[in-house]
Amino acid sequence: MPRLEFIDETLRDAHQSLWATRMTTEMMVPIARTIDEAGYFIVNLAGGAVFDTCIKYLGEDPWERLRIMRQLIQKTPLMFITRGQNVWSWQVYADDVVALTVRTVARNGIRALMIFDSLNDTRNLALTIRVGKEEGLYVIGCVVYTLSPVHTDEYFVRKARELVQLGADAVMLKDPSGLLVPERIRTLIPAMREAMGGVPLVLHSHCMTGLAPMCYLEAIQLGVNMVHTAISPLSQGESLPATEYVAKHARRMGVDVRLDDNRLKEIADYFTGVAQREGKPLGRMVEYDPFHYEHQIPGGMISNLRSQLAEVGFQNRLPEVLEEIARVREELGYPIMVSPLSQYVGVQALLNVMEGERYRTVVDEIRKYALGYYGELAAPIEPNILDRIIGNEQPITVRPGELIEPMLEKIKAEQGPFSSDEELLLNIFYTRPTLEKFYASRRSGAAGLSARTPLAVLIKELAKRPQVKYVYIQKGNFRLVQAS
């Protein structure tokens, strides 16, 4: 009987998609041990958006979150997602920064890496794979899915084979915009499996068109080894398929699923309660939108576009901007609509519409993209557009990281000393004003969690529940009894 493993996205991508990444560590702690007992293969915990939100909005130390959750989730590997040479930011960083980041997340409790490149340029992933393997991490290399005339099955197969050759433990077909359809699954999954030999194949897709659950079931029948899912209250919509749904139907197909349904129900009930208490939305099915296949914007980016248009009085022009995004993407050689390139294409399209003249202003990041400073383009840029973007400048052909001098020693000399590698990395990825605001919020008590106080957090959480009348805690000779 074939076995299907599950990678849980509840603590990372699900709330990033539905709650603007606003799930706090305090919300995670009470249910963490149950998640650890549920039978997941990996629990995805953090990445760039999580770090950004912790620093800029929550006043939480993201490194502390990793340590807290490692104390509570010990049997199941915790995973961190990186953007290869971009690490968790949008710019390209030097090799020494990439390597230090991998080693530092490993030291803070991470046991698995999921890595992707916005251009599927596997040269940008080689260093992360190598250092991750040196640190003993389970490394999943991603092939990011998109639709265009050049992104054929043969293209994705070639990229999967390259990741296998680089030493990835598994290869994932990552569909951040929910573009997969069952018909494409039937051709692409068998082709990738054949090219990868015995290396596990992973599927990750979002539900923006409502087809991801169907695609998962098709892929399971075709022998995909792992799937990314989210617990039902945080599934669907811009999020991923529901764990319970996929597990139930996989079992009906005769597939071995080793998830604990009782634990899953407990997790679902818990997060339903959190959503109700905190005023957060629950996942829901979305209407099928064929236009989505043209602009291919990831779910979370639509809300940002709406707010940006509203700020300048253009809120009624979203359909026009989406049409322009599809046009710009085609002219630029079909970049994949995933961070950071989805944001760059979106901003360029927005400027084209607002200024009334296309490419009157060119975003600097679009110029760098055209010159190869993010990696190898999938297809040539339309010649007339390329002239407007780069003029007489010549594109590079080497791996972008090779052009960047080592950064660590220079930053230590200019901005140090730093008390730890964790502090050093925060100073690399965030501006001084951002970090000063973050440290002030922590000093004011906005973030009181500590890896040394999970019991205190549990008691605090229980105290919020009027239905709990009696608490009994024992560890060794220590006993705590509290009755209301």
Side-chain angles (χ1 to χ4, degrees):
M1 178 184 297
R3 181 172 178 177
L4 180 68
E5 300 286 5
F6 285 73
I7 297 177
D8 180 48
E9 288 284 359
T10 305
L11 304 184
R12 207 278 301 176
D13 205 355
H15 70 92
Q16 179 176 328
S17 299
L18 297 179
W19 295 2
T21 328
R22 294 306 196 273
M23 185 183 291
T24 65
T25 307
E26 192 170 355
M27 296 176 191
M28 300 175 184
V29 164
I31 201 64
R33 295 196 188 279
T34 304
I35 291 174
D36 197 21
E37 298 290 339
Y40 295 115
F41 184 69
I42 290 172
V43 170
N44 198 2
L45 178 62
V50 168
F51 267 57
D52 286 350
T53 304
C54 283
I55 294 291
K56 296 177 182 178
Y57 305 108
L58 299 180
E60 287 190 20
D61 184 343
W63 300 111
E64 190 78 355
R65 176 178 292 189
L66 303 188
R67 294 190 290 268
I68 288 171
M69 298 307 289
R70 171 45 59 202
Q71 284 193 357
L72 299 172
I73 300 178
Q74 298 186 358
K75 294 193 302 184
T76 312
L78 294 176
M79 185 158 69
F80 192 95
I81 178 171
T82 83
R83 301 169 187 155
Q85 209 74 35
N86 297 107
V87 196
W88 72 67
S89 182
W90 288 1
Q91 72 182 73
V92 177
Y93 287 91
D95 289 350
D96 58 349
V97 174
V98 175
L100 180 64
T101 303
V102 173
R103 294 190 173 106
T104 305
V105 299
R107 190 168 60 246
N108 280 270
I110 293 298
R111 296 292 176 266
L113 284 180
M114 184 172 86
I115 60 172
F116 73 93
D117 179 71
S118 58
L119 288 172
N120 279 333
D121 188 339
T122 55
R123 298 176 304 171
N124 293 332
L125 303 179
L127 176 63
T128 305
I129 293 174
R130 178 174 61 79
V131 178
K133 298 291 289 180
E134 290 173 357
E135 294 296 317
L137 305 183
Y138 189 90
V139 181
I140 301 176
C142 299
V143 179
V144 186
Y145 181 76
T146 190
L147 288 173
S148 84
V150 298
H151 289 94
T152 62
D153 284 5
E154 291 75 19
Y155 167 91
F156 293 116
V157 165
R158 183 175 74 254
K159 295 299 179 179
R161 189 180 292 115
E162 290 172 4
L163 288 171
V164 171
Q165 292 170 348
L166 288 172
D169 294 295
V171 173
M172 184 172 80
L173 182 61
K174 177 178 171 63
D175 180 22
S177 295
L179 302 170
L180 280 166
V181 296
E183 292 80 7
R184 190 69 184 273
I185 287 285
R186 294 180 195 126
T187 63
L188 185 51
I189 294 298
M192 291 182 69
R193 278 182 53 84
E194 181 178 358
M196 291 164 50
V199 174
L201 178 59
V202 190
L203 180 60
H204 174 121
S205 183
H206 288 248
C207 299
M208 274 89 84
T209 63
L211 296 181
M214 295 173 59
C215 290
Y216 274 38
L217 299 186
E218 287 284 348
I220 291 167
Q221 288 181 317
L222 295 169
V224 74
N225 304 102
M226 305 180 207
V227 290
H228 285 237
T229 60
I231 202 67
S232 52
L234 279 93
S235 68
Q236 301 296 340
E238 288 80 21
S239 184
L240 298 97
T243 304
E244 301 96 315
Y245 174 91
V246 177
K248 177 178 69 176
H249 288 284
R251 287 179 176 130
R252 286 177 174 171
M253 296 175 189
V255 174
D256 181 17
V257 173
R258 301 187 184 183
L259 293 175
D260 186 326
D261 291 338
N262 292 327
R263 301 287 189 184
L264 294 182
K265 184 179 185 308
E266 185 178 347
I267 297 166
D269 290 345
Y270 171 79
F271 279 112
T272 299
V274 170
Q276 294 170 346
R277 185 188 72 218
E278 302 292 335
K280 304 293 187 184
L282 297 174
R284 59 180 179 82
M285 294 287 290
V286 297
E287 292 183 351
Y288 178 74
D289 178 12
F291 181 45
H292 179 72
Y293 290 94
E294 297 182 39
H295 62 75
Q296 302 186 24
I297 288 291
M301 189 175 161
I302 293 288
S303 59
N304 291 331
L305 272 176
R306 288 195 184 101
S307 63
Q308 290 168 359
L309 289 170
E311 288 174 3
V312 295
F314 277 43
Q315 55 265 38
N316 295 325
R317 301 186 70 178
L318 178 61
E320 184 180 352
V321 173
L322 293 178
E323 293 276 4
E324 180 66 11
I325 285 173
R327 185 178 177 187
V328 168
R329 178 174 177 264
E330 180 178 354
E331 293 167 340
L332 295 182
Y334 303 101
I336 302 169
M337 298 304 284
V338 66
S339 295
L341 289 176
S342 55
Q343 285 81 1
Y344 300 161
V345 171
V347 171
Q348 185 63 59
L350 184 60
L351 288 172
N352 289 357
V353 171
M354 291 177 61
E355 295 184 340
E357 179 183 343
R358 307 186 71 244
Y359 300 101
R360 175 183 176 183
T361 301
V362 176
V363 179
D364 187 54
E365 289 82 2
I366 291 293
R367 182 185 66 83
K368 290 179 179 178
Y369 158 80
L371 289 168
Y373 285 99
Y374 292 101
E376 183 182 20
L377 278 60
I381 297 174
E382 186 175 308
N384 291 336
I385 301 300
L386 183 62
D387 288 343
R388 297 202 66 171
I389 293 174
I390 68 173
N392 294 323
E393 292 187 77
Q394 292 299 310
I396 67 169
T397 57
V398 300
R399 179 178 68 90
E402 295 179 20
L403 301 178
I404 304 175
E405 294 293 329
M407 299 173 64
L408 294 179
E409 294 307 317
K410 181 179 180 181
I411 292 172
K412 289 177 183 178
E414 294 178 351
Q415 302 180 33
F418 300 104
S419 61
S420 64
D421 289 338
E422 289 82 355
E423 182 185 357
L424 168 60
L425 288 170
L426 292 185
N427 277 268
I428 290 173
F429 294 120
Y430 300 103
T431 65
R432 175 52 53 183
T434 296
L435 289 177
E436 288 176 353
K437 182 179 179 181
F438 163 66
Y439 290 131
S441 71
R442 283 184 58 78
R443 284 194 296 272
S444 69
L449 274 174
S450 167
R452 295 173 293 280
T453 61
L455 179 59
V457 175
L458 174 61
I459 294 172
K460 181 179 178 181
E461 180 66 27
L462 290 172
K464 297 177 182 178
R465 303 186 181 189
Q467 69 272 26
V468 177
K469 305 298 183 184
Y470 179 86
V471 176
Y472 176 91
I473 299 172
Q474 178 173 344
K475 183 175 182 180
N477 295 324
F478 170 79
R479 294 182 181 183
L480 173 65
V481 180
Q482 180 67 44
S484 61

